[in-house]
Amino acid sequence: MDVSGSAPQRSEAPASPRSEALSAQQDERRARILDAARTCFSRAGFHRTSMQEICAEAKMSPGGLYRYFASKDAIIEAIAQEEQLAGRRILEILLEPGTLHDRLLRSGLAYIEAMRDRRAVQMMLEVYVESMRNTAVGAFFANCEEENRRLFEGAFSRAKATGEIAADADVDTMMMTLVAFADGIVLRMGLNPDYDVERAEALLSRVVTAVLQNEGPPLESRG
């Protein structure tokens, strides 16, 4: 007998096989829409792509598509959220054990590998352009970038505290240089998809080492 005065808790009934099958079907259709949208956006950009083109690529009727997404902006936001989660998983390598150099290298290699799909490169360019526009979508992408930046800064700050990098190291410049280098490789891969990341790993490692050392004299003092 319950004497606590509270109502007995009800255990949730397990989902039926039918409801699980329906949920899986809905997930599959949603994923198909987003995949079709990625193809369309990478081909024509966010603003020049119509919902009709996404429907055609997904092989769905407008009514079927609108059951999942009310607008093109809703599709863009869903893609942005997926990209944010994927990017976050890559950056969380910086939170794993190991030296800052090794964690940066692993994270960079994972990023380059994830961007092998040509569509991913084209989408990256579209995202960068959209991030500079004063739109709700642009603001969302800018917020994602700021979250990633904070994770980067946390890793570098801990490296300063442990003496892995100099206490007066220019963290902003180091971060921008490493990100720009990785993005540059990704862009070149869009033109040269045969780029062999494994063969280049030793060279990439030396680049990370050079950036982290950051101990060269200022340009004006070099003779």
Side-chain angles (χ1 to χ4, degrees), residues 65-122:
L65 187 146
Y66 279 107
R67 287 180 57 193
Y68 294 88
F69 297 100
S71 66
K72 185 170 68 174
D73 278 358
I75 293 176
I76 295 172
E77 184 173 336
I79 290 175
Q81 289 171 342
E82 287 191 353
E83 295 297 319
Q84 181 187 24
L85 289 174
R88 181 79 181 183
R89 285 193 292 269
I90 291 172
L91 283 178
E92 283 178 350
I93 294 174
L94 297 177
L95 305 177
E96 296 176 356
T99 66
L100 178 62
H101 169 281
D102 290 349
R103 286 177 282 142
L104 284 168
L105 183 60
R106 293 201 307 271
S107 180
L109 292 172
Y111 170 60
I112 293 170
E113 189 61 36
M115 297 295 285
R116 281 197 175 277
D117 185 347
R118 186 178 179 85
R119 292 186 312 169
V121 177
Q122 294 164 326

Side-chain angles (χ1 to χ4, degrees), residues 17 19-20 26 54 61 68 97 108 111 131 152 155 159 163 171 174 178 190 209:
S19 65
E20 288 180 350
Q26 291 172 336
I54 297 174
S61 67
Y68 294 88
Y111 170 60
S131 297
F152 250 114
V171 169
M174 288 195 295
L178 289 169
T209 297

Side-chain angles (χ1 to χ4, degrees), residues 130-202:
E130 193 64 29
S131 297
M132 293 183 282
R133 290 180 173 144
N134 187 24
T135 64
V137 174
F140 182 87
F141 284 127
N143 287 336
C144 294
E145 183 72 11
E146 182 59 29
E147 287 185 18
N148 293 340
R149 179 183 179 84
R150 285 197 293 268
L151 196 152
F152 250 114
E153 287 178 338
F156 275 84
S157 295
R158 288 189 294 275
K160 275 190 174 186
T162 59
E164 281 192 80
I165 58 176
D168 60 349
D170 185 348
V171 169
D172 284 342
T173 300
M174 288 195 295
M175 287 193 302
M176 183 172 292
T177 300
L178 289 169
V179 171
F181 188 79
D183 284 347
I185 289 176
V186 166
L187 288 175
R188 293 305 306 179
M189 284 171 56
L191 299 173
N192 302 287
D194 295 332
Y195 179 76
D196 192 332
V197 179
E198 292 185 357
R199 288 185 62 186
E201 183 173 346

